[in-house]
Amino acid sequence: MPTPASRPANATLLLLASLYCAQGLPSGLIAHSLPVLLRQHGVDLALIGLLKLLALPWLLKVLWAPWVDRLSSRRLGHHRGWILPLQGGIALVVAGLALLTPNELFGRQLPLLLGLLLLVNLAAATQDIATDGLTVRLLPERWRGLGNSLQVGGYKVGMLVSGSGLLLVYDGAGWSLSMALLVLLLVLTLLPIWRFAERQQLPFRPALAEPAGPGLLLRHYRGLLAQPGMGLWLAVLLSFKLGDALGSPMIKPMLVDQGWSAAELGQLTLISSLAGIAGALLGGLLYARLGVLRALLLFGLLQALGIAAMAALVQAGGDHGLVYGLALFEQAADGMSTVALFAAMMRQCRAEHEGADFTLQASAQLLLGGLVGAASGLLAGWIGYAGLFLTAGALGLLALGLLPLYWRRAQPLAG
């Protein structure tokens, strides 16, 4: 294990980057590529909308996360014993899809396709629990920002490859070859975890975990919520990205109202996503120097300013330079703030409870953010786009006031 002052080995960083990239590959396929391909084959919009329901395992995984922390493979290791078979199963499902024709899958076998994609999401969500737990154990606190840079960046790269990338090659390669390339990438990203000697480097310590059996779910999360200062921390966690959740869903609709085409928005999304990846990487490096509190304050401030600045675009959609400048800044700030928040969440994880403790925090933050985002359209219709973005920025600034209070009352500033 590295010391708190030493940067993790390159092999460790490659391992984490490969695992999070692997998670992004099926997500990009389901969220970005398949809706386009289904519509091209005449599938009804209502059925395409069902793809959103396939993401339910990512929200519900908190219900089985404690068992992922508790159960270990004697031969493969703890986290490795979950990741290898789950990702291998995803590759087999995608390989099976490659053997079928689009006319079959998008026609009479559409229920089969939806069922297989649900299994893929179930496996990917469960693998995410094990991967997060492995990340917390592998990285000393100072370098968890860098680890979360790889999490955010790797996941987005995977989504871009199987989303935008697959659509770019699909016309020339066709369905079967495109799926085969995706299988190849899933297998390649398995190599670092296959070579990782987890049983020697991170032996499982079952004495630190609750015994498996009835009541494990309640015992596990009750123990987490009983940690000192957890009430204040949950207030920080749930409020930190509410401003971004409120404002960001209305950026593209605003630009559509100002005449932006689908192609122009696609290009903006691609370039701004790359800025988000760069922001995540920069945020991870700065986190190691700033420490958790200063990183949260600085990156949270940039996040609030970025979403509030979108108000300047309400009557300026024709100024593409200004749109790109503010969109890139907002995405970079979002990447930096996400990395800092995820690293801070890792601080709250108990030994041998890492996967489930992180999962509960992430699920709570995602659920509340989704509910707030769902109301963004209603608020925009009531107070206008400018009012929405300024309100979202103000909400982001107000949330920062909880940070010094939490650190002063709950624990000393580390780093």
Side-chain angles (χ1 to χ4, degrees):
M1 289 288 292
T3 65
S6 62
R7 186 179 73 86
N10 290 334
T12 299
L13 300 180
L14 176 62
L15 168 65
L16 298 180
S18 67
L19 290 177
Y20 285 115
C21 181
Q23 290 179 16
L25 290 172
S27 296
L29 172 68
I30 296 171
H32 298 300
S33 294
L34 281 178
V36 174
L37 300 178
L38 287 167
R39 191 57 181 163
Q40 287 180 344
H41 283 79
V43 176
D44 186 79
L45 292 176
L47 291 175
I48 295 176
L50 289 178
L51 291 177
K52 294 292 184 181
L53 293 178
L54 300 182
L56 276 177
W58 288 91
L59 183 61
L60 299 178
K61 64 180 180 174
V62 68
L63 298 178
W64 59 86
W67 280 270
V68 177
D69 275 341
R70 182 63 186 88
L71 302 178
S72 173
S73 167
R74 292 183 178 181
R75 187 170 66 89
L76 297 177
H78 183 191
H79 306 92
R80 188 170 175 265
W82 287 95
I83 294 169
L84 283 173
L86 288 170
Q87 188 171 329
I90 293 172
L92 287 176
V93 172
V94 178
L97 294 178
L99 299 178
L100 300 172
T101 67
N103 289 334
E104 292 176 319
L105 277 176
F106 302 156
R108 60 185 179 86
Q109 294 185 346
L110 183 60
L112 172 64
L113 172 64
L114 295 178
L116 290 175
L117 294 178
L118 181 62
L119 285 178
V120 166
N121 266 333
L122 179 62
T126 306
Q127 177 186 338
D128 183 58
I129 300 168
T131 300
D132 289 337
L134 177 64
T135 303
V136 176
R137 288 203 64 190
L138 270 177
L139 297 176
E141 182 178 324
R142 181 185 178 190
W143 294 101
R144 284 174 180 165
L146 179 59
N148 283 288
S149 296
L150 300 176
Q151 176 180 0
V152 175
Y155 187 83
K156 287 189 175 184
V157 167
M159 288 197 72
L160 284 173
V161 169
S162 60
S164 301
L166 188 145
L167 290 176
L168 287 173
V169 305
Y170 182 80
D171 287 339
W175 171 260
S176 295
L177 181 55
S178 298
M179 292 299 101
L181 291 174
L182 188 55
V183 172
L184 177 60
L185 290 175
L186 286 167
V187 172
L188 288 176
T189 54
L190 269 177
L191 294 180
I193 189 66
W194 178 263
R195 296 174 56 85
F196 177 56
E198 183 182 10
R199 293 180 61 196
Q200 288 73 41
Q201 295 189 37
L202 295 175
F204 182 44
R205 300 166 293 177
L208 298 178
E210 295 91 350
L216 174 60
L217 184 69
L218 178 61
R219 291 195 304 271
H220 193 111
Y221 292 129
R222 186 170 55 193
L224 172 64
L225 297 176
Q227 297 298 302
M230 185 54 65
L232 263 176
W233 167 247
L234 288 177
V236 171
L237 171 69
L238 296 176
S239 64
F240 185 72
K241 293 191 74 67
L242 280 188
D244 179 70
L246 179 65
S248 59
M250 289 296 107
I251 295 175
K252 289 179 182 176
M254 175 188 66
L255 293 175
V256 168
D257 288 349
Q258 297 186 59
W260 280 61
S261 68
E264 289 173 325
L265 286 173
Q267 180 176 308
L268 176 65
T269 300
L270 176 61
I271 296 176
S272 61
S273 295
L274 295 176
I277 295 172
L281 294 174
L282 177 61
L285 294 173
L286 291 176
Y287 180 94
R289 293 182 174 273
L290 295 173
V292 60
L293 177 57
R294 284 178 291 179
L296 284 170
L297 286 170
L298 175 59
F299 302 161
L301 174 63
L302 295 177
Q303 174 185 254
L305 294 177
I307 200 66
M310 291 295 142
L313 300 181
V314 172
Q315 301 297 332
D319 188 342
H320 282 217
L322 180 62
V323 171
Y324 268 87
L326 292 181
L328 296 182
F329 176 80
E330 189 272 333
Q331 279 294 293
D334 177 63
M336 297 168 75
S337 63
T338 300
V339 161
L341 180 63
F342 284 1
M345 288 160 54
M346 288 182 172
R347 290 167 51 97
Q348 313 301 321
C349 299
R350 299 162 293 160
E352 295 302 343
H353 299 70
E354 295 92 352
D357 284 359
F358 189 88
T359 295
L360 178 64
Q361 296 176 76
S363 296
Q365 192 267 332
L366 179 65
L367 177 60
L368 184 58
L371 293 175
V372 170
S376 61
L378 293 174
L379 189 59
W382 181 36
I383 63 176
Y385 287 126
L388 172 73
F389 294 130
L390 292 175
T391 300
L395 186 59
L397 290 176
L398 288 174
L400 298 182
L402 290 172
L403 285 166
L405 177 64
Y406 168 70
W407 252 260
R408 186 165 59 248
R409 291 188 180 180
Q411 59 188 39
L413 173 63

